[in-house]
Amino acid sequence: MIGCPSGRPLLAAVAAVSLVTTGCLGVGPSPPATPTATPTASVGTDCPPALTVYALDEDPANLDSVVDYENLSAEKRATFDRARNERVTDFAYDWRDIDVVAYDGAYYRTGVVVC
């Protein structure tokens, strides 16, 4: 009687190929998503960006870029006042668009600094 070869070696080979190609096809658990906070700490540092405000000794070259303190929102005025006296790391992203603020007869440069 002629016997049929066992299908076990073939089944084992298919299973092994499936396990090997699963990783190549991108099937399997995906890495967890990481939310992006704003502002974020810069690579290679352990501190987040900080809003800085300092008085200018002379008038800015481009007066068209000056924002009057009174035109800032109440939240931005509070942030500006804090940044004149301390390191502020919890600020709105749009501070990056404000270069100079006119306040109380003086001009103040604003900037985002990473230590």
Side-chain angles (χ1 to χ4, degrees), residues 39 47-53 83 86-91 111-115:
C47 60
L51 177 67
T52 61
V53 173
E86 65 187 64
R87 179 181 174 81
V88 175
T89 57
D90 59 331
F91 59 93
V112 177
V113 178
V114 178
C115 61

Side-chain angles (χ1 to χ4, degrees), residues 1-29:
M1 161 186 238
I2 300 177
C4 292
S6 171
R8 287 187 184 170
L10 180 59
L11 182 60
V14 169
V17 169
S18 295
L19 288 174
V20 170
T21 60
T22 298
C24 296
L25 297 175
V27 179

Side-chain angles (χ1 to χ4, degrees), residues 51-75:
L51 177 67
T52 61
V53 173
Y54 60 91
L56 295 175
D57 294 334
E58 54 189 48
D59 292 354
N62 184 3
L63 291 174
D64 292 336
S65 68
V66 175
V67 176
D68 288 328
Y69 179 82
E70 292 79 23
N71 292 338
L72 296 173
S73 67
E75 179 182 337

